[in-house]
Amino acid sequence: MEIKQFKAALFDLDGVVFDTEPQYTGFWSAQSREFRPDYPGLEHVIKGQTLTEILENYFGGELASKHALIIERLNEFEKTMNFIYVKGFVRFVKELRSNGIKTAVVTSSNLDKMNSVYQQSEGFKELFDAILTSEDFERSKPDPDCYQKAAQRFDAQKEECIVFEDSFNGLKSGRAAGMKVVGLSTTNSKESIEPYSDVVIGDYEAFGLNDCEMLISKI
């Protein structure tokens, strides 16, 4: 029997690399109260969706005229966000790279958002071999397209990749791609994401390369 090897770690951004989900929840909660008071809890429903999806699916019809305003508000909001790494992430990703594991960000965020990240987080780009944004994908999560493209970038098979996700759409995307999935309970409870994850962690403090290799080796 062929032994599987761990080749690539594929990370969502918000809630996985950066602990930013509470900030986004606050932003979208404010927009929802103003424009969609008929949809309580919408800020939780949209987690893991692209901005285009959010606007088209939940702020359509008569609210389409508000898209430019919401985008302007979001751009200003992201310029002042705190991009704080999830505990243990930097150590973890450096451990992977020092052992020859490829690393990539696979995010539904667009280039404008990423430019804010680059400006505020010195050394961010150096942690990854590739950064894929919404502009790189034809279909959004939970479709597996984004993770399949990331694996292709590294010439890696699905059995050689681990996806790190926190949102339900992201977790489903990793599963649909046929990859092992590590769920981060930074956004949703451990119990709620367990059905979509091979393992659930709260942060990377006690998680390392050996854990990844053991996960890859499981049938």
Side-chain angles (χ1 to χ4, degrees):
M1 184 176 66
E2 184 180 357
I3 299 176
K4 301 185 185 70
Q5 289 190 327
F6 178 34
K7 189 170 184 177
L10 312 177
F11 299 93
D12 180 39
L13 186 68
D14 294 295
V16 175
V17 175
F18 294 123
D19 191 14
T20 51
E21 282 300 337
Q23 297 175 73
Y24 276 113
T25 298
F27 173 84
W28 285 110
S29 177
Q31 308 312 307
S32 299
R33 286 196 304 272
E34 181 175 351
F35 300 118
R36 290 300 308 269
D38 61 309
Y39 202 142
L42 176 59
E43 64 270 20
H44 301 292
V45 175
I46 63 177
K47 290 182 185 296
Q49 298 185 32
T50 65
L51 176 60
T52 299
E53 285 181 307
I54 293 170
L55 295 178
E56 289 182 352
N57 295 335
Y58 304 102
F59 297 85
E62 294 180 357
L63 290 176
S65 63
K66 303 297 183 181
H67 287 188
L69 173 61
I70 294 174
I71 292 171
E72 181 182 355
R73 288 177 177 178
L74 180 60
N75 289 339
E76 288 303 311
F77 176 77
E78 289 177 337
K79 289 177 182 177
T80 60
M81 282 182 66
N82 295 315
F83 293 106
I84 301 170
Y85 288 105
V86 173
K87 288 183 179 179
F89 176 78
V90 174
R91 173 211 55 83
F92 173 61
V93 77
K94 286 183 176 179
E95 178 188 8
L96 297 185
R97 299 195 76 202
S98 67
N99 283 277
I101 307 301
K102 297 294 185 181
T103 61
V105 167
V106 184
T107 178
S108 298
S109 299
N110 58 26
L111 286 173
D112 287 339
K113 156 70 175 294
M114 293 312 299
N115 285 331
S116 295
V117 172
Y118 302 150
Q119 291 172 11
Q120 297 183 51
S121 301
E122 185 178 353
F124 173 83
K125 286 184 176 181
E126 286 67 38
L127 295 175
F128 304 98
D129 297 288
I131 297 175
L132 287 77
T133 64
S134 61
E135 289 85 356
D136 295 306
F137 316 131
E138 297 173 15
R139 296 173 297 280
S140 300
K141 304 172 185 178
D143 192 278
D145 180 53
C146 59
Y147 284 115
Q148 292 169 339
K149 282 184 168 59
Q152 292 168 5
R153 190 74 66 93
F154 297 138
D155 193 27
Q157 301 300 310
K158 60 184 181 181
E159 297 86 2
E160 300 172 319
C161 300
I162 297 179
V163 167
F164 294 80
E165 273 283 1
D166 64 313
S167 71
F168 291 109
N169 276 348
L171 295 163
K172 291 175 182 178
S173 175
R175 275 285 172 87
M179 301 173 184
K180 296 293 185 182
V181 178
V182 174
L184 274 291
S185 58
T186 52
T187 303
N188 299 290
S189 69
K190 178 177 185 288
E191 293 73 23
S192 67
I193 66 174
E194 277 182 329
Y196 309 98
S197 311
D198 292 290
V199 63
V200 176
I201 59 177
D203 55 39
Y204 302 92
E205 292 281 81
F207 196 80
L209 176 62
N210 289 341
D211 299 290
C212 294
E213 290 177 336
M214 288 178 61
L215 185 59
I216 285 287
S217 67
K218 289 182 179 179
I219 298 175

